[in-house]
Amino acid sequence: MGLFSKIFGKKNVVERQGEPDMVRVAHEDEGMNWAIEKAKLTLWYFATCLQNPQPHQSYFSVKVKIIDGDNLEHIWLTDPHFDEEGHLFGTVSNEPVEVKTVKMNQKIGIDREHISDWMIVEHGRLIGGYTIRAIRNNIPDSDKPNFDQSIGLYIDEGVDHFKPNFDTPEGAILAIEEAYRKEDLEAVLACKDFTTEAKVMMAKMSIEPNEETTKGLADVLEASFINSINEYGFPNFNGITCAFPAREKVTEQHWIITEVCWYADGGKSVQKINVANTANGWSVLNPVSDDE
């Protein structure tokens, strides 16, 4: 019995000779659904690299959703490329199990909306591959080395390429880090919402907010933030790469994002950051304190 069959149960795994086993995942699985969403949000990076691959990028593949009547299967394609209208073309690289409309080594085209994952191998390291990571997250730590060996790649948190804008919580964090690199205080402040930050702070202290106290605290928070930058300078995010392995929902409008940073000297840090969905998009609040 293979590794997946032992972990997930034989009825949830189809073992395939000479290629990776297929793990059946429930449609309501939150980790897998987030993995697919994350792949879609970062697909722009894959498409950009595919158009102009770099020497350190040795492999490109895309996972797509194939529908055959009532059957549905996610299958990896090799040799991917996009046409001018954004449609994806590639070669089926897994033996289909649930669907019969495609076969191994067949060249197919599919709409971009049916892409469910992508992966690039950079210096032997997995970038993207979010559905692979979702499966790996459900494996006991003691079995992860065997899983990684079966995949044949170095798997850590990776590097996540959200667009640095206010459309996603992760993008807002990347936007403020980009503003720090440029030492652009106006751009940094555009990533913040001190009114929301004041409301969150008062809620933690069980203080009933009103317009006057909220504005007063927001003004204090903004002044303190600016004074800190003037005194200590901008945080240094030069040469840093980041990944966002986890989201935690506090409310529909307030999330805690886990960020992993790698530094040019090989160092690594992990922090949790409060973000809020405001009228102007996602905004970066204060980092999570030790007592939260």
Side-chain angles (χ1 to χ4, degrees):
M1 185 182 295
L3 174 65
F4 286 170
S5 295
K6 292 178 182 177
I7 295 170
F8 298 104
K10 190 155 185 158
K11 68 178 181 179
N12 296 321
V13 176
V14 177
E15 297 185 9
R16 296 186 286 199
Q17 190 68 30
E19 57 177 312
D21 298 339
M22 185 186 81
V23 179
R24 291 191 173 98
V25 179
H27 294 305
E28 62 274 14
D29 185 278
E30 290 186 9
M32 186 59 71
N33 288 335
W34 167 232
I36 292 172
E37 181 183 351
K38 197 173 184 180
K40 291 180 182 295
L41 291 170
T42 56
L43 180 61
W44 71 274
Y45 175 76
F46 177 86
T48 300
C49 294
L50 188 62
Q51 189 174 16
N52 185 28
Q54 302 301 305
H56 64 281
Q57 297 173 327
S58 58
Y59 183 80
F60 293 83
S61 186
V62 181
K63 183 183 277 187
V64 298
K65 179 175 65 176
I66 305 293
I67 300 174
D68 179 8
D70 294 332
N71 295 322
L72 182 153
E73 187 172 349
H74 295 265
I75 294 176
W76 286 100
L77 306 182
T78 54
D79 304 319
H81 65 277
F82 293 97
D83 67 10
E84 293 181 356
E85 297 179 349
H87 301 302
L88 173 71
F89 296 85
T91 303
V92 175
S93 65
N94 301 134
E95 191 65 51
V97 175
E98 309 287 357
V99 300
K100 306 302 179 186
T101 51
V102 299
K103 60 184 180 180
M104 185 78 163
N105 297 324
Q106 180 181 350
K107 297 182 184 298
I108 66 171
I110 196 164
D111 288 341
R112 193 186 188 101
E113 66 185 45
H114 293 303
I115 295 175
S116 55
D117 201 1
W118 59 267
M119 62 176 286
I120 303 175
V121 178
E122 298 184 353
H123 296 300
R125 179 190 191 192
L126 178 65
I127 304 299
Y130 296 112
T131 58
I132 296 173
R133 298 175 190 277
I135 293 173
R136 186 178 184 270
N137 287 342
N138 289 322
I139 294 177
D141 289 344
S142 58
D143 289 323
K144 283 183 169 65
N146 288 335
F147 175 86
D148 296 352
Q149 186 175 11
S150 71
I151 298 296
L153 295 171
Y154 173 60
I155 304 177
D156 58 3
E157 293 88 351
V159 179
D160 290 334
H161 296 277
F162 290 87
K163 289 188 176 181
N165 57 33
F166 307 137
D167 293 343
T168 64
E170 296 81 5
I173 294 171
L174 291 175
I176 197 169
E177 291 172 356
E178 186 173 284
Y180 284 142
R181 289 189 190 95
K182 295 178 179 178
E183 299 190 353
D184 185 338
L185 181 57
E186 185 175 344
V188 170
L189 294 175
C191 300
K192 302 281 291 179
D193 188 313
F194 294 102
T195 299
T196 299
E197 191 166 313
K199 290 178 180 178
V200 170
M201 183 176 294
M202 286 189 289
K204 291 176 184 175
M205 296 186 293
S206 300
I207 298 175
E208 190 67 30
N210 58 53
E211 185 175 345
E212 183 179 356
T213 57
T214 300
K215 184 180 184 308
L217 180 55
D219 289 344
V220 170
L221 291 172
E222 181 173 5
S224 176
F225 182 82
I226 294 173
N227 288 339
S228 177
I229 289 180
N230 288 335
E231 183 174 355
Y232 300 107
F234 290 88
N236 183 4
F237 280 90
N238 294 321
I240 293 176
T241 57
C242 306
F244 302 93
R247 282 179 172 182
E248 177 186 345
K249 183 171 75 171
V250 181
T251 69
E252 290 295 338
Q253 307 302 320
H254 176 197
W255 291 72
I256 296 174
I257 305 300
T258 299
E259 181 185 35
V260 179
C261 293
W262 287 270
Y263 301 87
D265 62 1
K268 174 182 176 181
S269 68
V270 180
Q271 49 275 333
K272 293 187 176 184
I273 303 168
N274 286 291
V275 293
N277 196 4
T278 70
N280 296 318
W282 287 95
S283 295
V284 180
L285 308 183
N286 53 308
V288 176
S289 60
D290 293 336
D291 57 352
E292 290 186 59

